[in-house]
Amino acid sequence: MTTQTPDNPLDTPAQFVRGAGPQRGELLKKLDIHTVRDLLWHVPRDVLDLTDVRQPDELVEKLEQTVRGEVVDVDAKQVSGGRTITAALLDCGGDYVRGVWFNQPWMRKRLMMGSKVLFTGKPKRHQGRWEFGHPQVQWLDDDDSGEGVGLLPRYGLTEGLRMHELRRMTQNAAEDFAEFIPDALPQSFRQKLKLPALNMAVNGLHLPSSLDEYERARHRILFDDLFEFQLALALRRRAWKREDDAPVMQTTAKIDARIRRLFPFRFTDGQDAAIRDVVADLQSGTAMHRLLQADVGAGKTVVAVYTMLVAVACGYQAVLMAPTELLALQHAETIETILENSRVKRVLLTGSLSAAQRRDTLAAIASGEAELVVGTQAVIQKDVKFAKLGVAVIDEQHKFGVVQRARISAGDDNPHVLVMTATPIPRSLCLTQFGDLDLSLMTDLPPGRQRVVTSRITGEGAKQKAWDFVKNQLASGRQAYIVCPLVKGDESNEDKPRGADVIYERVVKALPDFRVGLVHGQMDRKERAVVMDDFRDGELNVLVSTTVIEVGVDVPNATLMIVLDAERFGLSQLHQLRGRISRGSYQGYCFLFSESSAPDAAQRLHALESTADGFRIAEVDFEIRGPGDVLGTRQHGEMPLRVANLTRDIKILDEARREAFAVVDSGEFDTPEFAPLKREVLERFGRLMDLPQSG
Ligand code: ADP
Ligand code: MG
């Protein structure tokens, strides 16, 4: 059989690497490894350092050292104060050492009898043995224990492929192909940042001769990934800044005063600062691309309405786009209240308009008669033509990543865009998903906010008490949300959560003195709106729902939030839910019902009990669950990174961002030295992110 030789050796199918072959080639495809290049860029998940594994009789006190052995005994016991101590005994070839952990009961399950592990730490003598307190543990694969020495990179695997096989293939590929790897980074730039050459890095990744070399290699590979992405963001931003055809909106003290008078309160410092940022953008001549980040309940709507009214005052149209119909309706109502005595012409554009209504509304928007438009993103992005669009505000849209955030189709207009996220998002996500936007951060809340009392409820006794408390509150006139994870549960399985439909029946029976309503996403829109209205008007005391009430809904008299099977929700989601009940003048209470014994469930719910800071919660959520979940989707391609991990590699991200914006903004990126890199960036992101081909 003859094989076709590709132009670029790195495009050689992975099966032709020494030690691979067709069968393993098929297995590699399951890891998304098709070519030599894919194989070389398969970054190890860690490296096992077996260069200095000691026997117990070689150990000394207070120095960090590593031992290898087999777990032959584990136990966990409670000590005074409810603390637990977990202890494991390691057989290191006839001699024993012990590892101990305080308050980490889950270690017991992770240290299975018979598993082979490394302990790294500073040992102490205790009861005639070496003891490691909270050692770092590395679990050895069956394959690992055979090989004695050296630094062994370990990779993500797939069934049927063994660690030592994959290791041999990556090492052979590095030996045979590293010389063909071109380096797109200019040498001077590389030297400035002390980055190794790319072929050296690929070698150091798979054949490290020291941990330091491995770390530097990994840094280079991850840096490239993040750097290219940040360059794309910087290019997109620069392209925006270069367009100077955006509407120029000059505000005046008179306009400012007229707008402020519409609100029954003084703006917070955060709102004032954000408004200053926005006003500067609106006057600048280049289109605003700004992200407004704030905690739940901070009052982003005020900034949005102010921005839109400036546009209207300057003779432009403004649009506010919400992610759901429910939210669009609510925004429309809020705006109605604020503009009660104003002549500003506003329209609501949603999917539930009749054909005739829709036609009229579209006509009013196209003629310019409609000045302020509220609607859902889906409806507005489809086929709406504006006469003179000046400002677009996109609310709660962080489910859409940087790639998906399409430009508003506005004909020849180049409107100012303000994006608002529902809940705070972690900084690393902000720098990637929203890395092309300017940022306004509001960290204060309107005065008089109550901090919601939050408790996790576990066990029959606690549940009973919580329900009694709820009844009392309802009797004194407050209202309650009961949120379930599912619309319909699996009734055949006792362990699965009940659905909202079943909970609703039970609550109706359990609370005969109160009126109970039900809303969920599978209900008809109009039905749902009726129930929501009844709840808002106080006709209903209790609302059983799914997370359809998650975003934005505002009922000041509702002070109770009961979340069932709370461990099934994301932290930010729970924080958002809790945000629903912190708005009135009454104290709010949030009960997180959860019987789960999983360690991370306890950890997460505890984070909510102990802090009200949405920014802090977002970070914790992100650490535990990763970016896909925090963004609300796990779809592939959502995060256009190849190898970097945003939770782990934040330092590299910071460096990559700083350098990328520096080389683009200084013009260095346009010099011939950077031409190969620019080609790569445009190839990888040009279409995806709508970058100008000339850079
Ligand atoms: P979010 O940032 O979560 O979208 P909202 O804009 O819905 O918050 O505002 C939450 C609540 O706070 C609303 O009821 C709003 O009327 C109120 N609010 C906003 N700004 C202020 C302020 N400066 N003073 C008092 N109340 C305010
Ligand atoms: Mg809001």
Side-chain angles (χ1 to χ4, degrees):
M1 197 177 80
T2 56
T3 58
Q4 268 190 324
T5 322
D7 291 344
N8 186 336
L10 299 178
D11 292 329
T12 308
Q15 61 156 310
F16 297 120
V17 168
R18 270 193 297 131
Q23 227 173 354
R24 292 198 191 98
E26 284 308 306
L27 290 172
L28 287 176
K29 284 181 191 163
K30 293 192 183 157
L31 292 169
D32 221 8
I33 296 173
H34 304 270
T35 63
V36 166
R37 181 184 287 101
D38 298 336
L39 188 59
L40 290 174
W41 265 261
H42 190 53
V43 175
R45 61 176 152 83
D46 62 2
V47 176
L48 214 50
D49 183 1
L50 300 179
T51 49
D52 187 23
V53 173
R54 307 219 169 165
Q55 289 304 310
D57 62 4
E58 297 169 332
L59 291 172
V60 293
E61 205 146 344
K62 287 188 185 140
L63 262 184
E64 183 159 285
Q65 296 148 96
T66 299
V67 292
R68 169 162 68 190
E70 180 179 333
V71 177
V72 290
D73 192 21
V74 208
D75 82 306
K77 54 174 182 268
Q78 295 270 341
V79 291
S80 61
R83 308 206 310 160
T84 56
I85 295 184
T86 309
L89 195 65
L90 214 58
D91 178 352
C92 309
D95 208 347
Y96 296 85
V97 303
R98 191 166 31 218
V100 271
W101 293 263
F102 290 99
N103 277 341
Q104 298 188 358
W106 56 88
M107 282 308 288
R108 182 183 176 163
K109 288 207 184 110
R110 301 184 59 194
L111 288 162
M112 280 186 307
M113 294 282 279
S115 49
K116 301 205 169 68
V117 298
L118 299 180
F119 281 178
T120 303
K122 296 176 181 170
K124 276 193 318 228
R125 290 302 283 183
H126 183 69
Q127 296 176 340
R129 277 219 174 98
W130 286 108
E131 181 174 290
F132 288 76
H134 290 241
Q136 184 196 330
V137 182
Q138 281 187 297
W139 280 262
L140 302 176
D141 301 277
D142 284 344
D143 300 339
D144 290 327
S145 27
E147 295 168 78
V149 289
L151 290 166
L152 302 180
R154 299 198 296 178
Y155 304 87
L157 293 174
T158 184
E159 194 171 329
L161 192 62
R162 320 235 349 208
M163 188 65 76
H164 67 271
E165 296 174 318
L166 182 53
R167 190 179 295 132
R168 199 172 61 231
M169 289 186 271
T170 54
Q171 293 179 344
N172 288 344
E175 278 168 7
D176 298 349
F177 290 92
E179 61 178 305
F180 299 110
I181 299 174
D183 199 331
L185 285 190
Q187 199 183 352
S188 57
F189 180 79
R190 238 175 48 217
Q191 278 166 352
K192 190 184 86 187
L193 295 187
K194 301 197 169 59
L195 296 168
L198 191 52
N199 53 1
M200 301 289 286
V202 166
N203 250 312
L205 205 55
H206 304 295
L207 292 159
S209 55
S210 69
L211 272 185
D212 184 56
E213 186 191 355
Y214 173 78
E215 283 307 329
R216 280 162 36 84
R218 182 175 176 278
H219 183 110
R220 166 72 208 255
I221 301 294
L222 269 47
F223 178 86
D224 280 12
D225 190 24
L226 291 162
F227 188 52
E228 286 175 17
F229 184 39
Q230 291 296 327
L231 283 168
L233 290 169
L235 288 176
R236 174 141 109 177
R237 220 179 94 105
R238 185 171 76 177
W240 282 338
K241 297 272 173 210
R242 281 183 178 170
E243 291 171 10
D244 53 4
D245 57 345
V248 178
M249 301 178 186
Q250 290 295 351
T251 54
T252 60
K254 211 166 131 195
I255 294 177
D256 177 71
R258 224 163 59 207
I259 297 176
R260 282 174 195 267
R261 263 206 305 279
L262 297 168
F263 295 87
F265 42 68
R266 286 175 62 100
F267 294 175
T268 63
D269 290 348
Q271 286 168 331
D272 276 331
I275 284 170
R276 272 197 301 278
D277 291 345
V278 166
V279 165
D281 291 346
L282 297 180
Q283 295 175 344
S284 70
T286 61
M288 164 166 73
H289 291 277
R290 183 168 291 282
L291 175 70
L292 179 60
Q293 265 241 73
D295 206 345
V296 180
K300 293 183 287 289
T301 316
V302 167
V303 180
V305 172
Y306 186 104
T307 307
M308 294 193 291
L309 290 177
V310 170
V312 172
C314 295
Y316 291 92
Q317 292 172 295
V319 59
L320 172 58
M321 302 196 278
T324 65
E325 182 118 8
L326 195 66
L327 268 173
L329 282 171
Q330 179 158 310
H331 276 314
E333 278 175 27
T334 306
I335 289 173
E336 280 314 306
T337 317
I338 296 169
L339 297 184
E340 214 180 329
N341 301 314
S342 136
R343 285 190 310 262
V344 173
K345 192 69 177 92
R346 53 261 182 199
V347 297
L348 176 64
L349 185 66
T350 64
S352 48
L353 294 184
S354 72
Q357 286 170 322
R358 183 177 171 79
R359 202 175 47 235
D360 292 348
T361 308
L362 288 178
I365 296 172
S367 72
E369 185 201 339
E371 296 170 297
L372 209 158
V373 183
V374 178
T376 54
Q377 286 161 26
V379 173
I380 287 169
Q381 286 188 345
K382 239 186 293 164
D383 54 3
V384 183
K385 289 272 169 289
F386 287 85
K388 208 180 171 195
L389 183 61
V391 159
V393 179
I394 309 177
D395 188 22
E396 332 261 35
Q397 68 122 34
H398 68 271
K399 289 198 168 96
F400 300 86
V402 66
V403 172
Q404 286 82 354
R405 200 182 325 122
R407 283 185 75 160
I408 325 296
S409 69
D412 294 334
D413 295 329
N414 184 12
H416 297 281
V417 177
L418 181 66
V419 177
M420 310 193 287
T421 62
T423 57
I425 54 171
R427 204 176 62 87
S428 57
L429 271 186
C430 194
L431 293 182
T432 46
Q433 291 302 78
F434 299 99
D436 47 352
L437 307 182
D438 293 315
L439 178 65
S440 290
L441 204 62
M442 303 200 296
T443 51
D444 50 359
L445 295 176
R449 273 305 148 73
Q450 306 263 8
R451 178 166 164 167
V452 174
V453 174
T454 304
S455 359
R456 178 182 180 198
I457 305 291
T458 309
E460 280 311 314
K463 269 198 216 167
Q464 199 46 56
K465 268 198 205 152
W467 285 117
D468 287 344
F469 183 86
V470 169
K471 278 187 214 166
N472 262 323
Q473 289 279 310
L474 291 173
S476 65
R478 304 287 79 74
Q479 289 166 282
Y481 299 100
I482 300 177
V483 179
C484 325
L486 304 169
V487 177
K488 290 191 168 39
D490 174 3
E491 292 308 307
S492 64
N493 187 340
E494 260 306 306
D495 295 333
K496 290 276 171 61
R498 307 294 86 167
D501 50 348
V502 174
I503 297 293
Y504 171 71
E505 302 292 335
R506 290 191 193 168
V507 173
V508 168
K509 283 208 194 86
L511 301 173
D513 301 334
F514 302 104
R515 289 177 306 271
V516 183
L518 171 68
V519 283
H520 57 69
Q522 290 176 17
M523 271 163 72
D524 177 79
R525 254 195 236 115
K526 290 203 181 96
E527 260 178 284
R528 211 162 66 193
V530 170
V531 179
M532 286 308 302
D533 279 347
D534 285 349
F535 187 66
R536 205 162 9 207
D537 298 343
E539 298 287 319
L540 294 170
N541 307 95
V542 178
L543 188 64
V544 176
S545 80
T546 54
T547 51
V548 288
I549 60 143
E550 180 187 337
V551 266
V553 176
D554 202 0
V555 182
N557 189 47
T559 57
L560 297 155
M561 174 66 61
I562 296 128
V563 185
L564 305 179
D565 301 294
E567 74 281 354
R568 297 193 153 237
F569 296 84
L571 268 192
S572 297
Q573 216 176 7
L574 290 170
H575 178 63
Q576 174 81 30
L577 283 168
R578 178 168 68 174
R580 303 295 110 230
I581 55 163
S582 62
R583 309 199 160 194
S585 47
Y586 301 105
Q587 174 66 51
Y589 299 92
C590 175
F591 297 127
L592 305 170
F593 282 61
S594 170
E595 300 297 326
S596 165
S597 56
D600 79 317
Q603 196 188 344
R604 284 166 46 200
L605 298 180
H606 179 69
L608 272 171
E609 284 178 316
S610 58
T611 177
D613 178 352
F615 286 94
R616 174 77 201 116
I617 288 168
E619 296 289 345
V620 175
D621 202 18
F622 188 61
E623 270 164 38
I624 301 173
R625 299 198 310 158
D629 281 319
V630 173
L631 285 171
T633 92
R634 285 188 211 223
Q635 276 162 29
H636 203 63
E638 188 75 1
M639 188 67 64
L641 295 175
R642 288 179 179 144
V643 287
N645 170 338
L646 289 180
T647 16
R648 233 176 23 178
D649 304 318
I650 177 99
K651 274 210 180 108
I652 309 179
L653 170 63
D654 278 331
E655 183 189 24
R657 179 172 180 83
R658 196 176 55 238
E659 296 302 328
F661 278 73
V663 295
V664 168
D665 292 344
S666 69
E668 211 185 332
F669 195 56
D670 305 308
T671 59
E673 261 202 303
F674 273 97
L677 185 61
K678 193 186 240 178
R679 249 195 321 276
E680 268 184 29
V681 171
L682 289 178
E683 223 165 82
R684 187 173 161 196
F685 295 109
R687 272 240 314 269
L688 202 61
M689 289 174 53
D690 192 21
L691 301 176
Q693 282 307 305
S694 60

